[in-house]
């Protein structure tokens, strides 16, 4: 199968996908109720899209194509209300966060659809361990080469997105010490990591047909890269974020990425280089492990600073672009995360207060459902 | 010194408790066999062995003396009712009133279907009404036990627990009202017909409320250590049961109400150990075996048609409303079918209501009481299998592969 041509999309348009956790209201463990939720939601008209995911305790909400923060957050609110109302009707709680703190992966049930069964057969227990919850952000690109340029320029900032959204410190009942433990599950997939360093679409097509020729992949969906092109939408898709604890934070992070993309497209601050990736996995690990306190090494200057500092610096640099995109409120949210901490620190504080992971998940669901 | 000083005298005098203990050991072994080789629920073994070895079967083991049997069932059923209540979220009824509607319709349909059937069999109105109220209840013991054993969770499971708790409440209250009318017919004054159920409902609700409050405050201070807490709870359930009998209130209503209040009041989730620890679990197993020993199938011999029709009519009356309102209450027809079938079991609670009625009215004991007892035996054996099938069919069980 050859790669489909890169569709055109309005530059800097954005779309957000959020994977959400479905919980029972007795002990707040995951519950395999996606079919019940989807049946209930199908009876109503709603914005965007609401879809099943790999296991039956997950559900995904997608916004339509948006251009700025206010409309994006409004659509996310309406999607959230649709899902939360269906949840209340069925006695199911819904929450954000990158992992469920104490679920047993072996108890998850694969959603009944051919693709999910295929993945489950291929990946075995990895598929069930993939009961993790991420935010994906699409950024519209004017053309395929521009998309690859943006992809490799944004790679430098992947640790920003991880640290800001990180909300998965607990796994299988324990504090992992990571801010985002969710990404550790993603890294175990053979085709995870970063996209190959090619800057022209013909080269990318050549890479893709070589890969399909080996029989390892069939479509773009088989690559679990941190950022990947999505030719049918004409976008690149940033896939490293945990689902944040509220839709407001999700929208703010999407607009932070959007403003950064505008900065890259308009100011053209240098060209991407293969050597930018020398520090890539180190920086990404620091962001997963330590969140905003993680160390960030600049690939060009080799300067070391904390991620918090690097993000604060970036906020200043993209301020004009954010203003142009009407994203002032979103940038204020990002500054607040820098000041008060990300989802992972909220979850740890709540645990220190409640001493019980069920109670933490209950608070987490309340936060997400009521905003 | 003679031999008789240290050897037992012949014939041996054996305490009835030994027979129960023996039955327990066999029943548990058979229960494990059923799970391992036939994937059937363990309770079938517990009840089945009691039935097979007891007076209704091979008559190898005598029935427990009535007082001991009653104490055992009161305690074990109390644990299960409290457990049921504490698993049920009453606030859900507000968010989804269709479930409340389904529950009321299901209970009303059961009452009128059974009432109509009995009138057709020329049973007196009042007696027919008493039996019809008893038929409303789904067995909390079988439902809680089977859900625990199959580790089921999901829409069908949660609705089953909620609707069982509700129909038990309807059954206990309506039964008292019907019995009060029966008393009225037997010549007691109107004042007692009204006052007795009022005392019962008000008193039980008050005691249940006090129990729930006490439970929550003790749990707040002792809840960290699950085991200590289980012992305490166990004692509290015994106290509530005995106080209730002393005050002539319904222990069943009190403990169910207490469980509901505990869940309603605490906004925080809390998972208790199944049956609040292993002591509770042992009592539950003993209860099922003792129920088997106390089984009475005379009704099946004398009026088999009525027994079978009663089971059939009751099953349809429970199934149809659930199917009819499925779409509105947010479940699929397949789930509704599972839920309707899972509502069929009868066991200890029905048995206690039947025996209480029989104790007050000797004519009932030798007539319709026997019919009900036969229904109970059949639905106590088939019930766990039906619930397990239903929950499995709905894809909500999580059984270990053995």
């Amino acid at each position: 199968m050859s790669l489909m041509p890169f569709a055109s999309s309005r530059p800097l348009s954005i779309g957000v996908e959020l994977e959400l956790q479905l919980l029972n209201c007795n002990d707040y463990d995951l519950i395999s109720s996606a079919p019940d939720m989807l049946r209930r939601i199908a009876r109503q008209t709603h914005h965007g899209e609401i879809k099943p995911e790999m296991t039956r305790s997950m559900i995904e909400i997608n916004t339509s194509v948006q251009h700025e923060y206010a409309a994006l957050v409004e659509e996310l609110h309406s999607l959230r209300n649709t899902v939360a109302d269906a949840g209340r009707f069925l006695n199911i709680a819904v929450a954000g966060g990158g992992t469920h703190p104490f679920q047993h992966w072996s108890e998850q049930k694969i959603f009944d659809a051919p693709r999910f069964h295929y993945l489950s057969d291929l990946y075995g227990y990895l598929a069930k361990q993939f009961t993790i919850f991420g935010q994906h952000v699409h950024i519209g690109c004017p053309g395929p080469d521009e998309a690859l340029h943006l992809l490799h320029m944004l790679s430098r900032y992947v640790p920003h997105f991880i640290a800001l959204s990180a909300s998965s410190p607990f796994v299988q009942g324990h504090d992992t010490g990571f801010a985002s433990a969710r990404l550790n599950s993603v890294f175990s997939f053979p085709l995870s990591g970063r996209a190959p360093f090619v800057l022209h679409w013909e080269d990318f097509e050549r890479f893709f047909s070589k890969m399909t020729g080996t029989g390892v992949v069939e479509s773009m969906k088989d690559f679990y890269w941190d950022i990947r092109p999505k030719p049918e939408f004409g976008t690149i898709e940033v896939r490293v974020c945990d689902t944040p604890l509220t839709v407001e934070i999700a929208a703010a992070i999407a607009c932070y990425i959007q403003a950064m993309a505008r900065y890259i497209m308009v100011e053209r601050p240098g060209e991407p280089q293969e050597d930018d990736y020398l520090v890539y996995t180190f920086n990404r690990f620091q962001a997963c492990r330590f969140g905003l306190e993680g160390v960030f090494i600049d690939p060009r200057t080799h300067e070391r600073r904390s991620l918090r500092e690097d993000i604060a610096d970036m906020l200043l640099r993209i301020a004009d672009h954010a203003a142009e995109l009407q994203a002032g409120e979103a940038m204020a949210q990002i500054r607040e995360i820098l000041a008060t901490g990300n989802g992972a620190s909220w979850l740890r504080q709540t645990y220190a207060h409640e001493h019980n992971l069920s109670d933490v998940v209950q608070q987490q669901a309340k936060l997400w459902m009521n905003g | 010194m003679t031999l008789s000083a240290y050897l037992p005298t012949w014939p041996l005098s054996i305490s009835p408790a030994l027979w129960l203990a023996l039955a327990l050991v066999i029943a548990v072994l058979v229960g494990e066999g059923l799970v391992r080789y036939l994937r059937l629920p363990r309770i079938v073994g517990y009840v089945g062995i009691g039935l097979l070895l007891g007076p209704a079967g091979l008559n190898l083991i005598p029935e427990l003396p009535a007082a001991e049997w009653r104490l055992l069932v009161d305690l074990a059923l109390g644990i299960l009712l409290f457990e049921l209540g504490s698993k049920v979220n009453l606030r859900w009824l507000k968010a989804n009133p269709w479930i409340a509607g389904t529950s009321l319709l299901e209970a009303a349909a059961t009452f009128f279907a059974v009432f109509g059937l009995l009138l057709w069999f020329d049973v007196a109105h009042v007696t027919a009404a008493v039996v019809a109220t008893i038929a409303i209840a789904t067995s909390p013991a079988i439902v809680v036990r089977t859900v625990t054993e199959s580790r089921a969770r999901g829409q069908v499971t949660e609705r089953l627990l909620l609707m069982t708790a509700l129909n038990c409440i309807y059954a206990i209250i309506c039964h008292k009202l019907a019995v009060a009318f029966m008393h009225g017919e037997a010549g007691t004054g109107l004042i007692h017909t009204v006052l007795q159920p009022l005392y019962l409902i008000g008193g039980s609700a008050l005691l249940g409320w006090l129990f729930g409050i006490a439970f929550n405050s003790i749990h707040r201070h002792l809840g960290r250590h699950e085991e200590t807490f289980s012992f305490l709870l166990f004692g509290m359930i015994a106290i509530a049961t005995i106080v209730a009998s002393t005050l002539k209130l319904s222990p069943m209503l009190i403990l169910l109400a207490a469980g509901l209040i505990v869940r309603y009041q605490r906004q925080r989730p809390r998972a208790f150990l199944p049956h609040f620890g292993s002591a509770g679990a042992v009592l539950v197993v003993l209860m099922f075996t003792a129920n088997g020993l106390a089984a009475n199938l005379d009704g099946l011999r004398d009026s088999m048609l009525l027994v079978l029709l009663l089971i059939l009519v009751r099953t349809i009356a429970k199934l149809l409303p659930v199917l009819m309102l499925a779409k509105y209450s947010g479940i699929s027809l397949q789930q509704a079918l599972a839920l309707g079938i899972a509502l069929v079991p009868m066991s200890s609670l029905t048995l206690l209501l039947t025996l209480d009625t029989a104790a007050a009215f000797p004519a009932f004991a030798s007539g319709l009481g026997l019919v009900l007892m036969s229904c109970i035996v059949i639905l106590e054996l088939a019930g766990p299998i039906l619930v397990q099938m239903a929950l499995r069919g709905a894809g909500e069980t999580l059984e270990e592969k053995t």
Side-chain angles (χ1 to χ4, degrees), chain B residues 180-196:
Chain B
F181 276 110
M182 212 161 161
H183 274 293
E185 197 146 282
T188 330
L190 181 70
I191 183 81
H192 299 294
T193 315
V194 177
L195 268 186
Q196 193 230 6

Side-chain angles (χ1 to χ4, degrees), chain B residues 53 100 195 278 300 351 363 377:
Chain B
L53 301 182
L195 268 186
S278 39
L300 198 57
L351 191 54
V377 175

Side-chain angles (χ1 to χ4, degrees), chain A residues 26 36 90 107 354 362, chain B residues 92 151 155 267-269 335:
Chain A
N26 288 327
D36 302 308
L90 297 170
E107 294 181 357
E354 305 283 352
Q362 188 190 26
Chain B
W92 190 12
R151 297 166 70 208
Q155 285 295 305
Q267 302 279 340
R268 293 305 161 87
Q335 285 170 314

Side-chain angles (χ1 to χ4, degrees), chain A residues 24-31 36 39 43 88-92 107 109 354 356 358-359 362-363, chain B residues 89 92 95-96 151 153 155 158 263 267-270 327-332 335 395 397-398:
Chain A
N24 80 65
C25 296
N26 288 327
D27 59 5
Y28 285 84
D29 198 355
L30 289 175
I31 187 155
D36 302 308
R39 189 184 325 107
R43 287 164 59 94
R88 285 186 200 101
F89 191 78
L90 297 170
N91 203 27
I92 294 165
E107 294 181 357
K109 297 170 181 172
E354 305 283 352
N356 180 312
S358 286
D359 292 348
Q362 188 190 26
Q363 301 293 319
Chain B
N89 180 9
W92 190 12
N96 188 346
R151 297 166 70 208
R153 49 175 44 166
Q155 285 295 305
E158 286 187 33
R263 176 70 176 84
Q267 302 279 340
R268 293 305 161 87
R270 177 69 71 235
K327 200 179 129 198
Y328 304 99
S329 74
I331 51 175
S332 68
Q335 285 170 314
T397 55
L398 202 81

Side-chain angles (χ1 to χ4, degrees), chain B residues 147-168:
Chain B
V147 165
T148 306
E149 197 174 308
S150 58
R151 297 166 70 208
R153 49 175 44 166
Q155 285 295 305
V156 175
T157 308
E158 286 187 33
R159 284 166 199 237
L160 173 63
L161 292 168
L162 176 56
M163 287 175 64
T164 301
L166 291 176
N167 72 20
C168 286

